[in-house]
Amino acid sequence: MLKNKSNLIKIVVLLVVLMVLNWMGTKVYKRFDLTQDQRYTLSQSALNIVKDVKSPLIVDVFLEGDFPSEFRRLRNETQQLLEEFALDNNQIKFNFINPLEDESARDNNIEQLMQRGLEPLQLSVINNGKTSQELIFPWALASYNEQTVKIPLIKNKIGSTQQELVSNSIQHLEYAFAEGFQKLVTEKSKKIAILKGNGELEDRYLADFLKSVKEHYFIAPFTLDSVATNPQGTLKKLNEFDLIIVAKPTQAFTEDEKLVLDQFTMNGGKSLWLTESVAMDKDSLYNDEGRGIALMNDLNLNDFFFKYGVRINPVLVNDMYSAPITIAMGEGSNAQFQPLRWPYSPLAAGNPEHPITSNLNLVKFDFANQIDTLKSSTQKTILLQSSKLTKLEGVPKEIRLEVVTEEPDVSTYTKGPQNLAVLLEGQFTSVYKDRIKPFKLDNTKDISPDTKMIVIADGDIIKNEILKNQPQELGFDRWTGQSFGNKEFLLNAVNYLLSDDGLLEIRTKDINIAFLDAQKIETNKTQWQLLTIALPLIILVLFGLLFNYLRRKKYA
């Protein structure tokens, strides 16, 4: 009797413990990310972006349908990431939509999505040795408080395979959604001045870049014209900005203007300089002779950059690894446009160790100059370099389009990688320290607080093409269909200069994606079918026969 009572007490205690554990399980929820690269753990910066979402943030993802295995992986990773966001903030809702599912509405849906700037992607699908073409829309639309932004789910790199394309895209997912959410929920605070008045690029050539920048920051044009009459007032107004961007000036700066710019830096202002020491442009070559003269472009900035720790040399970088130029070959109606190797458009690789340039596509330059780094008070980081097969050409020099038809002499490309973009950080020493200043300025400083500057030896990397009076996407070559990393590099540079490091932290997150080899699967299809289907059945039959034999032997 006592034994039965003891067992009953144990059962009751066990039931109570199970009920308590079950209740605690409903109150306490914890997910464990056991992946080596912490793929399913959101960065703190991403969590900070969505923590203040107080009303529904709706995400419509168009990555739904019968896709190849790689893109099914991208779809699943996207869903997993959005689930993590939704678990952190239940105001985030998401849906997966197949815009091509209804055949009757297919064409109308495609047209509407393309009008919103969602370009489709053409896939090559291999099934049983046969190749077919499929169309997908690798995009998402996020809506919050009557505002909508588009989020790209594909991160392309030049020369990447379909698997590499998906792998790059999965690594880019958290950054893509975090940036999209930031546009919707974070109020702009920092201000950027676009410098004018020294022959900089017209607004239409900066349109695509500025369109992206103003989604995060306030931007406004700023001229130095008033320096001559009111230098103190000009500097005061300039100091209201956090960053200045100087995009391909062509007219020399006066000493008065340089002093104002120098004191802007001495007061902690950040700068992005896209300038060059050689005057040359592709448009100069499109004439009957197909040639132009590259000349030195003296902007009176040599001492300015020299004091800060860099020197832009008046030489052209000629690179074997370069982007093509598209030229009409042939006469009259028989002329055809052909992309041909153009050595004056280096494709620069980024520094993999720095957040501005890690995981970055190649950046396209046009008539780039070479940068030397010099001893100074600032710390220098090389951001972009040409390839190893490079040579330098002095000016003046005649540039001819017919060079595209000539076979290059590889033995002359011996200069190695050349610096094309440099980051300067730390305390800057004034250009006018221990020098007579061009005019009297109140409260001048000789040493700056910690600040940052990026110098790029080519203004064309920020220049978008114009087609039918409409600016095109920066970095996209409509002739070859290639997308270069120009816009992403410049946006990363702006984020870094303005200490907006949250997005850069997310962007540098490294994820390793493993895929099955589709070619091996197709080649060894029968072998794997026998291994995964027939072999287990054979083992099961042998086990049954062995078990039956042993049973008979034991109990016969």
Side-chain angles (χ1 to χ4, degrees):
M1 182 72 178
L2 291 175
K3 185 176 181 181
N4 291 337
K5 187 176 180 180
S6 176
N7 290 336
L8 181 62
I9 292 174
K10 289 180 179 178
I11 293 173
V12 171
V13 171
L14 179 62
L15 289 174
V16 171
V17 170
L18 290 175
M19 291 175 65
V20 171
L21 290 174
N22 187 57
W23 177 82
M24 291 178 61
T26 62
K27 300 298 181 182
V28 180
Y29 180 77
K30 179 66 177 176
R31 292 161 66 93
F32 296 94
D33 186 354
L34 302 181
T35 57
Q36 184 176 6
D37 50 20
Q38 296 294 289
R39 185 183 314 164
Y40 303 116
T41 301
L42 294 177
S43 305
Q44 187 59 47
S45 300
L47 297 176
N48 291 339
I49 290 172
V50 299
K51 70 179 180 181
D52 294 326
V53 175
K54 305 301 183 184
S55 57
L57 192 160
I58 310 299
V59 183
D60 292 321
V61 184
F62 300 104
L63 203 62
E64 184 72 22
D66 186 17
F67 302 143
S69 59
E70 296 94 340
F71 285 87
R72 287 200 300 272
R73 182 74 172 273
L74 177 60
R75 184 250 183 240
N76 295 337
E77 294 284 345
T78 303
Q79 180 176 349
Q80 183 71 46
L81 180 71
L82 289 173
E83 286 176 356
E84 295 296 326
F85 274 113
L87 284 168
D88 186 74
N89 189 324
N90 58 14
Q91 293 290 349
I92 297 177
K93 317 289 183 183
F94 60 91
N95 309 293
F96 280 79
I97 301 170
N98 183 359
L100 309 180
E101 185 176 16
D102 186 355
E103 288 293 335
S104 61
R106 176 187 172 98
D107 293 340
N108 185 49
N109 289 343
I110 291 175
E111 183 179 353
Q112 288 186 6
L113 291 173
M114 292 182 68
Q115 286 176 352
R116 302 192 71 164
L118 310 186
E119 294 292 332
L121 179 68
Q122 194 90 11
L123 296 183
S124 295
V125 181
I126 301 175
N127 189 13
N128 294 326
K130 296 182 180 180
T131 303
S132 61
Q133 300 296 318
E134 296 288 344
L135 200 66
I136 68 168
F137 281 89
W139 293 88
L141 290 176
S143 303
Y144 181 70
N145 290 346
E146 299 182 355
Q147 294 185 44
T148 301
V149 298
K150 57 183 182 180
I151 299 174
L153 305 181
I154 286 293
K155 177 75 165 65
N156 201 357
K157 280 192 175 182
I158 297 172
S160 59
T161 64
Q162 197 157 285
Q163 285 190 356
E164 290 170 340
L165 175 70
V166 172
S167 181
N168 294 334
S169 302
I170 291 174
Q171 182 155 309
H172 189 68
L173 276 179
E174 186 178 345
Y175 174 81
F177 279 103
E179 184 193 31
F181 294 162
Q182 186 185 61
K183 293 176 184 177
L184 293 172
V185 305
T186 305
E187 293 186 5
K188 295 185 286 187
S189 60
K190 296 182 179 179
K191 298 191 292 183
I192 300 175
I194 311 300
L195 216 62
K196 301 289 183 182
N198 290 82
E200 289 86 359
L201 288 173
E202 299 176 25
D203 286 345
R204 60 181 183 145
Y205 293 113
L206 303 174
D208 187 62
F209 173 70
L210 296 183
K211 179 182 176 183
S212 299
V213 168
K214 71 179 182 181
E215 293 176 339
H216 298 283
Y217 309 104
F218 295 107
I219 61 173
F222 191 94
T223 65
L224 298 175
D225 296 344
S226 59
V227 167
T229 57
N230 186 14
Q232 193 74 48
T234 304
L235 177 59
K236 183 179 179 181
K237 290 182 179 178
L238 187 60
N239 283 335
E240 294 175 1
F241 292 89
D242 301 284
L243 169 70
I244 60 170
I245 297 178
V246 190
K248 197 177 181 179
T250 55
Q251 298 172 13
F253 288 80
T254 66
E255 292 299 321
D256 293 358
E257 292 170 340
K258 286 164 57 179
L259 177 57
V260 168
L261 293 172
D262 173 76
Q263 287 303 300
F264 171 76
T265 302
M266 293 305 106
N267 282 288
K270 281 80 173 178
S271 308
L272 175 59
W273 286 86
L274 302 101
T275 182
E276 47 205 40
S277 295
V278 176
M280 189 62 207
D281 196 279
K282 274 186 182 178
D283 294 341
S284 304
L285 303 176
Y286 296 136
N287 52 48
D288 293 338
E289 297 178 350
R291 61 185 65 190
I293 303 295
L295 300 170
M296 183 181 294
N297 184 28
D298 185 6
L299 298 173
N300 192 29
L301 292 174
N302 291 342
D303 59 335
F304 190 80
F305 290 126
F306 191 94
K307 190 69 174 181
Y308 295 157
V310 293
R311 178 173 55 212
I312 303 176
N313 294 310
V315 293
L316 291 175
V317 176
N318 184 316
D319 196 341
M320 284 282 290
Y321 192 59
S322 55
I325 187 173
T326 302
I327 300 177
M329 305 292 288
E331 299 292 335
S333 60
N334 295 323
Q336 294 183 342
F337 289 97
Q338 295 184 16
L340 300 169
R341 192 190 71 85
W342 181 242
Y344 297 106
S345 291
L347 291 178
N351 180 350
E353 303 300 324
H354 199 277
I356 294 179
T357 47
S358 66
N359 302 321
L360 186 72
N361 205 349
L362 296 172
V363 177
K364 178 187 174 186
F365 284 73
D366 276 312
F367 297 108
N369 305 152
Q370 177 252 1
I371 302 177
D372 281 337
T373 56
L374 311 168
K375 185 178 181 179
S376 72
S377 59
T378 58
Q379 175 186 343
K380 292 92 180 170
T381 304
I382 307 302
L383 297 178
L384 295 173
Q385 285 187 321
S386 65
S387 77
K388 295 180 180 179
L389 296 175
T390 300
K391 65 180 179 180
L392 301 176
E393 297 180 349
V395 293
K397 179 177 176 60
E398 183 182 60
I399 307 295
R400 299 173 292 110
L401 278 178
E402 62 189 46
V403 72
V404 299
T405 62
E406 301 172 357
E407 190 68 27
D409 184 1
V410 181
S411 63
T412 62
Y413 289 80
T414 59
K415 292 297 183 180
Q418 300 297 316
N419 303 331
L420 303 178
V422 179
L423 166 67
L424 308 173
E425 296 178 280
Q427 292 184 325
F428 287 67
T429 302
S430 172
V431 177
Y432 293 93
K433 181 182 180 182
D434 301 327
R435 285 175 54 183
I436 297 176
K437 298 174 178 58
F439 59 85
K440 185 177 180 181
L441 199 60
D442 296 339
N443 302 318
T444 56
K445 297 180 180 179
D446 290 335
I447 302 294
S448 77
D450 284 345
T451 188
K452 306 170 188 175
M453 176 184 293
I454 292 178
V455 179
I456 305 170
D458 178 28
D460 289 313
I461 76 163
I462 198 174
K463 182 179 178 181
N464 56 247
E465 293 186 9
I466 302 293
L467 180 63
K468 296 180 180 178
N469 292 323
Q470 294 296 320
Q472 304 300 295
E473 183 180 0
L474 175 61
F476 179 72
D477 186 344
R478 61 190 176 93
W479 296 105
T480 62
Q482 291 182 332
S483 291
F484 301 101
N486 295 43
K487 181 159 72 171
E488 187 178 359
F489 165 67
L490 292 170
L491 291 175
N492 290 345
V494 169
N495 288 341
Y496 187 84
L497 289 171
L498 291 175
S499 300
D500 197 356
D501 299 335
L503 288 176
L504 288 175
E505 175 196 340
I506 300 170
R507 191 179 171 279
T508 55
K509 186 175 180 179
D510 195 20
I511 295 176
N512 298 313
I513 307 295
F515 290 97
L516 296 176
D517 191 320
Q519 185 175 359
K520 286 185 177 180
I521 292 174
E522 188 63 33
T523 304
N524 304 318
K525 184 178 180 180
T526 304
Q527 174 185 334
W528 289 111
Q529 286 176 336
L530 290 173
L531 187 64
T532 57
I533 299 174
L535 183 60
L537 292 176
I538 293 171
I539 293 174
L540 185 62
V541 170
L542 291 175
F543 176 77
L545 293 174
L546 179 62
F547 178 79
N548 192 48
Y549 167 76
L550 294 176
R551 184 173 179 276
R552 286 189 176 186
K553 184 176 181 180
K554 183 175 181 179
Y555 298 106

